[in-house]
């Protein structure tokens, strides 16, 4: 029988994870199945337990079950604890379930692939929700000059900066406080793009550098409002979050199968769909 994997969420019909993992399996010649499973609200624990006791090997978890994914596993990896999030469940040889998060690694992989400045760079992160918390430690591990978290609700940004205060180069502020500061890499981690909105950021935030880049953790067929805005300010390095999506999936695949797939052809295939 083929090893079974799946993504669980509600809704789940739109998920690209089955297409991505099927392409990874083909590319790396692994025999496995990957399906999408709709879980009713309140049924997460029961359904996930059943998946694993009936032979399932690993799961990706998406909205609205991020909280459940964090409390369900028998163990959490240190990076999942720091991120306060789990997107990957792995059944270990003794049957216990390990929870890990691959979002941060997926983002770093995509930023590096697209030549964004990280080491010694001034990095601005917009937003302070769960998605941003998951990327801060991996970003700080790249040894930037500084990471600034700007958020509409400043207290939430401050709370995140406090968690990672031991790095010594992270601070929080409101959008208005950004006036007069310039950054090499600006990452939009707000959910504003989902609503077709732009975070209210001053226009002067991009350093005048040929490698200055704007990254939106959301993806869409056309430029997100944030990337369009950055383009209007002559930022040439513009990347949306499709590569992060494929990158986090690749990291999950590696955890389950021990092989790291090549993400570039998979991103290209999804773009052309
Ligand atoms: P996620 O899990 O995607 O991080 P979240 O935890 O709800 O979702 O966080 C959403 C983030 O987007 C928050 O930082 C939110 O700002 P507030 O903390 O002030 O609510 C931010 N956000 C959402 N819509 C926004 C908008 N139109 N402009 C600016 N920030 C926005």
């Amino acid at each position: 029988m083929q090893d079974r994997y799946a993504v669980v969420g509600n809704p789940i019909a739109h998920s690209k994870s089955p297409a991505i993992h099927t392409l990874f399996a083909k590319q790396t010649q692994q025999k496995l199945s990957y399906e999408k499973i709709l879980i009713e609200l309140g049924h997460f624990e029961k359904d996930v337990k059943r998946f694993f006791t009936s032979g399932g090997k690993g799961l990706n978890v998406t909205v609205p079950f991020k909280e459940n994914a964090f409390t369900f596993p028998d163990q959490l990896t240190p990076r999942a604890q720091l991120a306060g999030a789990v997107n990957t469940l792995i059944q270990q040889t003794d049957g216990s379930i390990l929870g890990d998060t691959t979002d941060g690694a997926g983002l770093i992989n995509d930023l590096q692939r697209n030549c964004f400045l990280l080491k010694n760079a001034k990095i601005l992160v917009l937003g302070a929700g769960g998605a941003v918390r998951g990327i801060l430690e991996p970003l700080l591990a790249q040894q930037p000059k500084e990471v600034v978290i700007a958020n509409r609700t400043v207290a939430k940004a401050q709370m995140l900066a406090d968690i990672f205060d031991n790095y010594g180069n992270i601070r929080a502020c409101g959008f208005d406080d950004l006036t007069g500061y310039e950054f090499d890499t600006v990452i939009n981690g707000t959910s504003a793009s989902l609503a077709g909105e732009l975070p209210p950021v001053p226009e002067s935030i991009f350093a005048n550098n040929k490698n200055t880049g704007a990254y939106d953790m959301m993806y869409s067929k056309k430029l997100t409002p944030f990337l369009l805005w950055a383009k209007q300010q002559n930022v040439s390095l513009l990347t949306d979050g499709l590569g992060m999506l494929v990158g986090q999936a690749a990291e999950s695949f590696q955890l389950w199968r021990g092989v790291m797939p090549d993400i570039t052809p998979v991103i290209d295939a999804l773009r052309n769909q």
Side-chain angles (χ1 to χ4, degrees):
M1 203 175 90
Q2 290 186 340
D3 286 346
R4 265 181 85 206
Y5 299 88
V7 58
V8 297
N10 187 345
I12 199 66
H14 65 285
S15 174
K16 291 192 187 304
S17 293
I20 294 171
H21 283 279
T22 303
L23 288 168
F24 287 163
K26 209 167 168 188
Q27 185 197 102
T28 59
Q29 295 169 352
Q30 301 271 309
K31 290 212 178 331
L32 56 87
S33 73
Y34 190 107
E35 61 200 296
K36 42 190 165 195
I37 300 177
L38 178 76
I39 290 189
E40 295 304 329
L41 301 182
H43 289 209
F44 180 86
E45 255 89 70
K46 182 169 66 67
D47 287 6
V48 167
K49 262 190 196 136
R50 191 184 318 122
F51 175 81
F52 282 115
T53 52
S54 65
K57 297 284 182 205
L59 283 179
N60 287 129
V61 182
T62 185
V63 282
F65 299 116
K66 298 261 172 179
E67 292 279 338
N68 307 71
F70 190 71
T71 51
F72 177 84
D74 300 302
Q75 297 108 38
L76 295 175
T77 60
R79 65 181 179 179
Q81 277 167 2
L82 270 174
V86 161
N87 71 349
T88 307
L89 300 177
I90 307 138
Q91 182 161 55
Q92 303 184 100
T93 42
D94 65 358
S96 66
I97 305 298
L98 177 68
D100 197 3
T101 179
T102 62
D103 285 338
L107 171 69
I108 300 298
N109 183 326
D110 200 38
L111 288 169
Q112 289 172 335
R113 220 175 49 88
N114 286 287
C115 304
F116 276 75
L117 295 170
L118 296 174
K119 195 174 169 129
N120 297 324
K122 292 183 180 184
I123 301 178
L124 172 63
V125 179
L126 305 174
V132 165
R133 178 168 172 174
I135 64 163
L136 290 176
E137 196 273 332
L139 272 180
L140 289 161
Q142 300 302 309
Q143 301 175 305
K145 186 163 187 196
E146 65 169 350
V147 172
V148 175
I149 314 167
N151 197 41
R152 206 164 49 177
T153 316
V154 184
K156 279 166 74 179
Q158 189 58 55
M159 221 171 69
L160 291 187
D162 289 346
I163 296 174
F164 299 95
D165 189 43
N166 59 316
Y167 279 88
N169 57 349
I170 183 163
R171 67 184 172 91
C173 67
F175 293 132
D176 289 346
D177 306 320
L178 293 169
T179 307
Y181 291 93
E182 288 186 344
F183 298 89
D184 305 301
T185 293
V186 181
I187 300 168
N188 182 21
T190 71
S191 49
S193 296
L194 267 184
E197 290 170 1
L198 185 66
V201 178
E203 286 199 352
S204 55
I205 53 168
F206 293 105
N208 187 11
N209 178 329
K210 77 172 172 40
N211 286 326
T212 297
Y215 192 98
D216 199 326
M217 286 166 60
M218 300 276 160
Y219 65 88
S220 66
K221 285 247 179 259
K222 51 186 184 135
L223 283 183
T224 66
F226 170 70
L227 293 179
L228 189 60
W229 174 78
K231 187 177 180 194
Q232 284 157 359
Q233 283 163 79
N234 300 319
V235 176
S236 49
L237 189 51
L238 305 166
T239 306
D240 75 7
L242 185 64
M244 178 179 174
L245 175 78
V246 179
Q248 60 79 29
E251 300 282 340
S252 296
F253 191 89
Q254 184 183 32
L255 287 170
W256 294 327
R257 309 298 299 179
V259 199
M260 185 67 178
D262 182 2
I263 68 169
T264 307
V266 177
I267 295 171
D268 292 345
L270 292 183
R271 283 258 185 246
N272 294 329
Q273 267 179 10

